[in-house]
Every structure is written in structure tokens, then in C-alpha cells.
């Protein structure tokens, strides 16, 4: 960890990561990767997501999108009927017909993702071949790619990973010998704009983003690309970028003041930014964010929090909750533990933290009930039953929908955890 960081606790990081990690391999309670469409379709403004799935898949994305007030119809489901599943029709012909119809009706679509689901995988519908075939018909006007959002053995944020990984082969080569920074992972536009201003002030730029806001501005990549992950769930995307010669900058994730500072610092160091410049650019933001966090620390300090494995954001969140808000971590579950990508985060967790990778939901619920934490961070499926048992919950999916990265969002992130406790206190009165 970088020793230059000032005004935050990074320099106090331990070298050892918490160990041992409990591993569970039982029943899971998670959404599938189709959920990622809800935020990806807002981010890439000329993209369309066509799920090739069942009525269940259609219901899932419609109800997940219903969480958002301004959802636009840039996703749909090509519903497979029983005769498709029984192999009585040629699903490829049907798919070609639907895509042709869709592109004729929606000339604004420049990038079409065919999104696989459990049913399309069960009947082994080869969407990569379909994407190739359809690309020949519709390129260069429309680029057609595919990825899987299937829920078999996955968790919901893997949908974004699969989507971004499918974009990597379409990225143009970087035509410069100068190092260039690429930020990888969906960020709300407002957060992206803040980071652009910050990188500009540091003298790092132009910075590119994956996913881009528009498919016509795909970032270029090559051996001079240095990339920062903005999200902790992008293992496949990172591997695909590294296969193209890009280098990942190791850093914690930009959640909270400490995470944001260390994340920016990783880029600053890689691009030779002087320490004095770094401090003078970041200090006012840091000071403001620390002040904004103070009132939430008063509310949350000493409260006990239990994080079920769901979004893959759990480890950076646990670091933020324990180090910046003084919350006590009862258990921190994560669906997968990518030790390399999370190395800088793991160093910042309390050494005695109870970490769990994977899930056996019944056992985990037993531990949660026995511990009676003040706050439970979990998926929608567990939240209602736990609330009915008198526990206070926070939906982890909200953390992916809400702008939470960066200095200016640090207090908003804290508020997401304080709000359910305040609500519960009011209900009790
Ligand atoms: S992809 Fe699978 S898990 Fe997801 S909604 Fe469709 S059937 Fe359900």
C-alpha cells in the first residue's frame, strides 16, 4: 500500500489478510446475471439487451427495472415457448426473425447484446454463433454481441462482468505509445464526471471508461493501457483486458474517503503525479467528505452489521463500514473471493473478521439469528423474512443501483446504512 496517502488510514494497513476464510457450497439466495441489464442499459445509451429466455426471465428484468423510476425500454425478452424448448422449432430462425424486426423498429440501436439465460443454455442455443451470423447481416450499422446472464452458479453482478468481457474483443487498438488510463466498471454518469475532473486536475488524461456511454466511443486498448477497476466483480473482464496487454493497477475500490483516495493514488503513482499535486488536488474533497461522514459515524459507530454474500461489493463495503464508520463486522459473506483483485481491500479488514466465501443459506441464517446484528445487508429474497423476524435490513442490490463511489458520494453511501436503522427506530417509537 502506498505510503504517500495522507489524511486517511491507508498507511496503517496491515500486511496480512484475514484468514482463514469459511467456504460454503450449499443453497444460495442470489439473483441471476440478467439483473445487470437494469443498470447497463442506462449506461450504454445506444445499446439494446435482448434476453433469450423464458417468461420468468422477462418477469425478473421487468420487476428489477421497476426499482428504477426512469427505466427506458432498451431491453426485451425473446420468450422461448414450450415448442422451442422441446426442439420442435428452429430457435435460430425465430431469433433471426425477432432481431430483424427489432432493428427495423428501432433504428437508434447501435449495439445489440443477445443475452443468454438458463433456458437458452439448457437447449444449448449457441448465441455466439447467432451473434456472428446476425452481425454479418447488420454490420456496420449495428454491432451484435452476446453474453450469458444465466443464473446457474452465478451471482447478479456477474452479468456486468460477462457483458463487459464480451465488449473487449470489439475494442479498437490503442494508437499511441503514451500510457493511457482506463476505468473499468459501470459508474453513474455523475460519478464518472467527478472522476474525470479529478483526473484532469491531477494531469492524468484523457481517461477512458468501459463501459462507455455510447457504443461509438469504445475505449482503445493495448500494452500502454493501465486500468483501474471501479467495481470488484470484474474478473473475466480484467482477464480479457490483460490478454490484450493492458495492465491492472492494484488498488482498493473507490468506496468511502479512504478507498477513493487509495484508488486515485494508484493511478497517480502509475502516471508519475507528484505527491504535492496529489495532496493539493484531493485534500479539499477529502476534508469535505470526512465532514459529511461525521454525522453518520455518530449514528453507526458500534453497531453490529452482518453482510450476506450477494453483490460482491461486500468486502469493500465492510472495509468502509468498519474503518470509516466504526461499525462492528459480525460476518462478511462474499459469493466469490478474488484474492488478487481484493488484495488491497483484505489488508484493510480487521484481522479477526469472519469472512465467508460462497453460501449455505440455512447455516448462514442460523448464524445471523444467533448473532442478532443491528443491521443485515442481504438480497431481496432474505430481507423480508428477516424484517418479519424483527431484524433491520439493507438491500444489497440498492448499492449497485445508487451512485456510491467517490468523495462526494461517501456520505450518501453511509446514509444508505443509517436509513434502515433510523426507520426501525421510528417504527419502535
Ligand atoms: S436466467 Fe435463469 S435464473 Fe435468471 S430469470 Fe431466467 S430462468 Fe431465472
Amino acid at each position: 500500500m502506498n505510503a504517500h496517502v495522507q489524511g486517511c488510514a491507508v498507511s496503517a494497513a496491515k500486511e496480512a489478510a484475514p484468514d482463514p476464510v469459511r467456504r460454503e457450497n450449499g443453497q444460495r439466495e442470489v439473483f441471476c446475471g440478467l439483473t445487470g441489464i437494469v443498470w447497463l442499459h442506462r449506461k450504454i445509451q445506444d445499446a439494446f439487451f435482448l434476453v433469450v429466455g423464458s417468461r420468468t426471465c422477462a418477469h425478473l428484468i421487468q420487476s428489477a427495472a421497476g426499482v428504477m423510476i426512469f427505466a427506458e425500454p432498451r431491453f426485451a425478452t425473446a420468450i422461448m415457448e414450450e415448442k422451442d424448448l422441446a426442439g420442435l422449432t428452429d430457435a435460430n430462425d425465430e431469433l433471426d426473425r425477432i432481431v430483424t424486426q427489432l432493428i427495423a423498429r428501432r433504428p437508434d440501436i447501435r449495439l445489440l447484446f443477445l443475452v443468454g439465460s438458463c433456458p437458452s443454455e439448457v437447449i444449448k442455443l449457441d448465441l455466439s454463433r447467432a451473434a456472428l451470423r446476425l452481425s454479418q447481416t447488420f454490420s456496420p450499422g449495428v454491432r451484435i454481441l452476446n453474453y450469458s446472464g444465466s443464473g446457474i452458479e452465478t451471482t447478479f453482478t456477474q452479468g456486468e462482468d460477462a457483458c463487459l468481457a464480451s465488449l473487449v474483443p470489439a475494442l479498437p487498438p490503442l494508437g499511441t505509445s503514451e500510457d493511457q488510463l482506463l476505468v473499468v466498471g459501470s459508474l453513474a454518469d455523475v460519478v464518472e464526471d467527478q472522476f474525470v475532473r479529478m483526473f484532469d486536475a491531477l494531469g492524468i488524461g484523457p481517461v477512458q471508461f468501459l463501459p462507455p456511454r455510447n457504443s461509438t466511443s469504445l475505449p482503445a486498448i493495448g500494452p500502454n493501457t493501465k486500468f483501474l477497476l471501479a467495481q470488484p466483480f470484474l474478473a473475466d473482464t480484467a482477464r480479457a483486458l490483460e490478454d490484450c496487454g493492458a495492465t491492472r493497477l492494484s488498488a482498493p475500490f473507490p468506496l468511502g474517503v479512504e478507498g477513493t483516495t487509495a484508488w486515485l493514488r494508484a493511478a497517480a503513482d502509475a502516471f508519475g503525479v507528484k505527491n504535492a499535486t496529489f495532496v493539493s488536488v484531493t485534500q479539499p474533497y477529502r476534508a469535505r467528505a470526512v465532514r459529511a461522514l461525521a454525522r453518520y459515524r455518530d449514528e453507526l459507530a458500534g453497531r453490529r452489521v452482518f453482510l450476506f454474500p450477494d453483490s460482491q461489493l461486500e468486502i469493500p463495503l465492510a472495509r468502509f463500514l468498519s474503518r470509516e464508520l466504526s461499525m462492528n463486522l459480525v460476518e462478511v459473506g462474499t459469493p466469490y473471493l478474488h484474492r488478487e483483485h481484493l488484495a488491497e481491500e483484505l489488508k484493510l479488514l480487521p484481522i479477526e473478521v469472519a469472512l465467508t466465501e460462497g453460501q449455505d443459506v440455512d447455516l448462514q441464517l442460523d448464524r445471523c439469528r444467533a448473532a442478532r446484528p443491528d443491521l443485515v445487508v442481504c438480497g431481496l429474497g432474505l430481507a423480508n423474512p428477516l424484517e418479519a423476524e424483527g431484524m433491520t435490513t439493507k438491500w444489497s442490490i440498492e448499492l449497485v443501483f445508487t451512485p456510491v463511489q467517490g468523495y462526494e458520494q461517501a456520505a450518501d453511501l453511509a446514509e444508505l446504512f443509517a436509513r434502515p436503522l433510523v426507520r426501525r427506530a421510528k417504527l419502535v417509537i
Side-chain angles (χ1 to χ4, degrees), residues 31-34 51 53-54 56-58 60-61 116-119 149-152:
F31 276 140
C32 65
L34 296 187
V51 177
S54 63
T56 313
C57 308
L60 176 102
I61 58 165
S117 65
C118 306
S150 143
I152 303 171

Side-chain angles (χ1 to χ4, degrees), residues 176-325:
T176 163
S177 56
E178 288 188 12
D179 285 351
Q180 197 153 47
L181 181 62
L182 174 67
V183 174
V184 183
S186 268
L187 291 169
D189 289 352
V190 58
V191 174
E192 200 175 292
D193 291 342
Q194 288 164 13
F195 283 143
V196 167
R197 286 197 292 275
M198 194 84 67
F199 286 126
D200 274 352
L202 290 170
I204 304 171
V207 178
Q208 304 186 97
F209 289 84
L210 180 69
R213 293 185 193 188
N214 203 291
S215 70
T216 52
S217 50
L218 288 176
I221 51 158
N224 290 100
T225 302
K226 294 185 191 300
F227 69 93
L228 264 180
L229 292 178
Q231 303 284 6
F233 42 74
L234 298 173
D236 289 350
T237 308
R239 198 175 314 118
L241 290 168
E242 284 164 351
D243 288 347
C244 297
T247 308
R248 183 180 64 87
L249 301 176
S250 189
F253 292 88
L255 295 176
V257 181
E258 181 181 35
T260 303
T261 304
W263 188 79
L264 290 168
R265 169 58 83 177
D269 283 351
F271 284 80
V273 177
K274 289 198 173 74
N275 187 47
T277 309
F278 183 80
V279 172
S280 75
V281 168
T282 56
Q283 179 58 31
Y285 293 95
R286 293 208 313 250
R288 205 163 48 230
V290 166
R291 274 198 305 276
L293 272 182
R295 64 173 275 227
Y296 296 107
R297 190 167 40 248
D298 290 345
E299 285 174 31
L300 293 169
R303 304 284 199 133
R304 299 165 67 246
V305 60
F306 191 116
L307 295 105
F308 276 80
D310 195 38
S311 65
Q312 299 194 69
L313 286 167
E314 291 83 8
I315 288 176
L317 285 174
R319 180 260 302 155
F320 169 68
L321 296 175
S322 86
R323 289 172 68 94
E324 296 191 50
L325 297 170

Side-chain angles (χ1 to χ4, degrees), residues 391-411:
M391 287 196 235
T392 305
T393 62
K394 169 87 247 150
W395 294 350
S396 47
I397 202 164
E398 241 184 292
L399 297 156
V400 186
F401 290 165
T402 315
V404 291
Q405 293 82 3
Y407 291 124
E408 295 181 39
Q409 280 63 239

